[in-house]
Amino acid sequence: MSENIKMDPQTILCDMCIEDRKPAKKTCMKCEISMCVQHLQAHLTTPVLLQTHPLTEPMDLCGNTKCSQHGKLLEYYCLDDMTCVCVSCAIEDQHRLHNMKTFSTAHKELLEKLKAEQLILQEKTDDENVSLEKWEKSEREKLGRCSVSLIEAVTKLRDISLTSVQSSVSARMVSLKTSKSSMEAAQKEKDTFRFLQMYSQVHQDVEKAKAVDLRKGLEPGSHRDKLVEEIRQNGEKMVKQASQFWGSLLTLVDPEHHQELVPTGSHLIFEPQSLGPGMSLSKDSRKVFHNSWLGQCSATLLICSTKTASSYQRWVVSLSKESDWTTGLCEKTSAKNLKDGAVYGLCWEDKQLSSLTTKRNEGSQSSTSQGLKVQNTGTEQTGTQLVTTSALITYQGENGEEPVPRPEKVEVLWNFPASTLSFFSRTGQHQREEIITMKLKVSINNWDLVPFVQLGKENIDSTTQQQQWKCSCGKVYSWDGNRYRDNRSGSYYQGCCSCGKVLGPHITEMVCELY
């Protein structure tokens, strides 16, 4: 009786052993069998078998040794496609120009490659561990400072309020103690005459004590008013600190959708290319105003920076709900008329959000954030060797495809090395949602692209309905969208009445701001 040998369940056994199957030494890819040392001898000693039957380490073949397309033995490994192929695949079909290796050679080369990559990843892991320690220390210190500051502010405000109210309550407690002493003294008095003489004062003390309200806070006066104002001011600061704290936590946990809205700073200004009637710019060149009485909102402005950007440029604009707008990148030479040059932008028009991309010879590709979808509207503006395409941006809602709502603020990030232009919707100090990222795959080396904002529609109807305005001197003027007309004489005026007063109402609203 043969000796029973305990073997690993994963051990490959000889397919030719009838009883007491022994562990396999090699597997023949052509015969599709695994053989022990004894049964392997024929393959090792027969020249024909030795030359034409490839042997490998013992393996479970599971019927995968032949090409599914040609039915031939898999003998080579394609390094380009990382798959096993037969001789027909290697010579005749799609792999014929690829880097082909025998199994043993491929095994050796790929094993060396894995070892090299393992060293690289190990070095990166070591570096990342150091970076992670620094990052964790920095984040803990930042959040720690924020939380400590908030706790200190809350504690200080609590102590000030409690101390002040405690002093006031203590003063009111005197009346209770006085009434208690008076009642005890009256109750101890046995002489009727003296008791009756005392009772009037005791009654006053009791009535005064009954009127005491220990929960009414501080007594009216300058001290209470000053403390209320201090609490209000410090409370507002605490709300901001708390908002900053939980916003930092959201950014830490979900940085993709939560980034602190950092103002762009005074180094960014608007450079007007065109301003329609009633349009004006603030002194710091960061706000755009519009007087709706003087005409339809229309302006094109470049966004210029006094600083030189090395790897990216970022701007945030707050835009009016009443105006259509477009923001992004355009050719500087064609800023006044976007149809004449390249443009990459986000457009809000007719209560719909869409993207604008320009291609020359080859198309530009764009990607959207999760849940959003770009639908090509088929609108193309063609210029000299240029095609600008407009595409609606939607998301999958409860009722199917729904339009993306108008962003309150638009944050734009132009990444120079990656050649991408990203647009984000800002709804709060930390809430940020990606709308779309455009990949600028076309050659833009010859295009002088600059950030821009366009307000209103390009084609402005100059024959707007006339509006009338009466000057304090009695003259009545009509505004036709471009100038004032004296209704009595029919004469036209620009800016001032004949009496010298500036014509028209001067109620303006801000329609665009660099945040």
Side-chain angles (χ1 to χ4, degrees):
M1 182 180 294
S2 60
E3 183 181 356
N4 293 328
I5 301 175
K6 292 183 179 181
M7 289 180 292
D8 190 335
Q10 297 182 352
T11 300
I12 305 300
L13 301 178
C14 177
D15 295 318
M16 298 184 70
C17 291
I18 298 175
E19 295 181 359
D20 296 331
R21 297 174 62 189
K22 299 180 179 63
K25 184 67 174 178
K26 294 289 183 180
T27 296
C28 178
M29 300 294 290
K30 190 166 186 178
C31 297
E32 298 184 8
I33 59 173
S34 299
M35 296 166 285
C36 63
V37 175
Q38 179 184 351
H39 292 107
L40 181 62
Q41 293 304 312
H43 275 70
L44 297 178
T45 57
T46 306
V48 175
L49 295 179
L50 189 60
Q51 294 177 5
T52 60
H53 287 228
L55 298 175
T56 68
E57 295 301 313
M59 59 185 297
D60 187 4
L61 298 176
C62 300
N64 295 326
T65 61
K66 291 184 179 180
C67 176
S68 59
Q69 182 177 355
H70 302 104
K72 295 182 179 180
L73 182 68
L74 298 174
E75 300 182 75
Y76 301 98
Y77 187 79
C78 176
L79 293 177
D80 293 340
D81 294 335
M82 292 184 291
T83 184
C84 298
V85 298
C86 69
V87 65
S88 295
C89 293
I91 297 176
E92 300 173 359
D93 289 344
Q94 67 271 23
H95 300 282
R96 61 188 180 89
L97 298 178
H98 291 182
N99 187 8
M100 312 298 298
K101 299 290 182 180
T102 61
F103 284 174
S104 59
T105 303
H107 184 189
K108 181 179 179 181
E109 290 186 4
L110 294 178
L111 190 59
E112 293 297 325
K113 181 180 179 182
L114 285 179
K115 291 180 179 179
E117 290 176 343
Q118 185 179 22
L119 292 175
I120 294 174
L121 290 177
Q122 182 62 44
E123 292 176 358
K124 183 177 181 181
T125 302
D126 295 339
D127 293 340
E128 289 295 332
N129 287 337
V130 175
S131 300
L132 184 60
E133 291 176 1
K134 292 182 178 179
W135 171 84
E136 182 183 9
K137 182 180 179 181
S138 174
E139 289 298 320
R140 283 186 179 276
E141 290 178 352
K142 182 177 67 175
L143 293 173
R145 287 193 300 269
C146 188
S147 58
V148 168
S149 177
L150 180 60
I151 292 172
E152 289 177 349
V154 172
T155 303
K156 181 180 178 182
L157 200 60
R158 179 202 65 188
D159 292 345
I160 292 175
S161 302
L162 286 176
T163 302
S164 299
V165 174
Q166 184 180 16
S167 300
S168 179
V169 171
S170 297
R172 276 173 267 167
M173 289 288 291
V174 173
S175 298
L176 296 177
K177 292 178 180 179
T178 301
S179 64
K180 181 180 179 181
S181 300
S182 298
M183 287 188 293
E184 290 177 350
Q187 290 173 352
K188 292 179 180 179
E189 181 59 55
K190 302 299 182 180
D191 185 84
T192 301
F193 181 74
R194 280 198 295 269
F195 173 81
L196 293 176
Q197 284 184 319
M198 294 171 58
Y199 183 77
S200 176
Q201 183 61 44
V202 172
H203 175 72
Q204 293 180 14
D205 293 340
V206 170
E207 291 299 317
K208 188 176 181 180
K210 287 166 63 177
V212 170
D213 184 359
L214 298 178
R215 297 173 298 176
K216 73 175 184 178
L218 298 184
E219 298 293 337
S222 59
H223 177 63
R224 187 182 71 174
D225 295 342
K226 182 180 179 180
L227 183 58
V228 167
E229 183 62 26
E230 184 178 357
I231 292 174
R232 182 179 290 111
Q233 292 178 356
N234 290 336
E236 291 175 352
K237 292 179 181 179
M238 285 192 303
V239 170
K240 292 181 180 179
Q241 288 176 323
S243 176
Q244 181 72 25
F245 181 65
W246 66 255
S248 298
L249 294 179
L250 288 173
T251 302
L252 179 68
V253 175
D254 184 17
E256 181 179 357
H257 299 101
H258 298 87
Q259 288 285 337
E260 184 178 4
L261 180 56
V262 180
T264 52
S266 58
H267 67 93
L268 288 182
I269 59 172
F270 284 126
E271 182 181 293
Q273 301 298 294
S274 63
L275 289 176
M279 304 293 294
S280 59
L281 201 63
S282 62
K283 291 183 178 180
D284 62 1
S285 298
R286 292 176 57 85
K287 299 181 182 67
V288 182
F289 299 95
H290 175 231
N291 188 331
S292 59
W293 199 86
L294 299 180
Q296 186 175 0
C297 176
S298 174
T300 302
L301 312 109
L302 299 183
I303 299 174
C304 303
S305 175
T306 57
K307 295 182 179 180
T308 302
S310 57
S311 59
Y312 71 92
Q313 189 165 354
R314 170 183 172 270
W315 63 95
V316 182
V317 284
S318 176
L319 298 149
S320 170
K321 296 181 180 179
E322 309 299 327
S323 172
D324 291 339
W325 49 262
T326 303
T327 186
L329 300 174
C330 71
E331 281 192 86
K332 190 172 184 179
T333 55
S334 60
K336 294 183 179 180
N337 190 349
L338 299 181
K339 293 182 179 180
D340 294 339
V343 58
Y344 294 91
L346 191 69
C347 177
W348 176 261
E349 187 174 11
D350 298 329
K351 298 182 179 181
Q352 290 183 321
L353 200 63
S354 60
S355 62
L356 295 176
T357 56
T358 299
K359 62 181 180 180
R360 176 186 291 173
N361 297 329
E362 60 179 4
S364 297
Q365 297 180 355
S366 61
S367 63
T368 59
S369 59
Q370 185 177 5
L372 298 183
K373 183 179 180 181
V374 176
Q375 299 177 342
N376 196 328
T377 60
T379 303
E380 294 189 347
Q381 302 171 354
T382 59
T384 305
Q385 297 179 342
L386 299 179
V387 177
T388 299
T389 304
S390 172
L392 296 179
I393 302 176
T394 61
Y395 72 98
Q396 186 65 38
E398 296 180 356
N399 302 319
E401 297 294 335
E402 298 182 13
V404 176
R406 189 192 74 87
E408 294 182 10
K409 289 185 178 72
V410 178
E411 181 178 2
V412 190
L413 183 65
W414 182 12
N415 189 322
F416 303 151
S419 294
T420 57
L421 185 65
S422 300
F423 296 89
F424 302 89
S425 172
R426 279 287 188 175
T427 55
Q429 184 65 21
H430 290 86
Q431 190 72 24
R432 183 176 85 161
E433 189 73 26
E434 182 182 353
I435 300 174
I436 188 172
T437 292
M438 300 178 180
K439 183 67 176 179
L440 310 179
K441 281 195 171 182
V442 297
S443 175
I444 60 174
N445 294 330
N446 297 326
W447 295 350
D448 186 10
L449 295 180
V450 290
F452 80 99
V453 173
Q454 186 181 71
L455 303 172
K457 299 179 180 178
E458 292 186 4
N459 298 323
I460 301 176
D461 184 5
S462 61
T463 60
T464 56
Q465 182 178 0
Q466 290 188 348
Q467 302 179 68
Q468 291 190 344
W469 177 78
K470 186 176 182 180
C471 183
S472 58
C473 68
K475 290 186 178 181
V476 179
Y477 293 88
S478 294
W479 172 259
D480 64 3
N482 290 301
R483 51 186 179 170
Y484 296 95
R485 178 180 178 273
D486 186 342
N487 288 355
R488 180 178 298 177
S489 65
S491 302
Y492 286 96
Y493 291 83
Q494 292 285 353
C496 294
C497 175
S498 57
C499 69
K501 185 176 181 180
V502 177
L503 293 173
H506 302 284
I507 301 175
T508 59
E509 62 171 342
M510 188 172 65
V511 291
C512 183
E513 177 185 11
L514 271 172
Y515 184 77

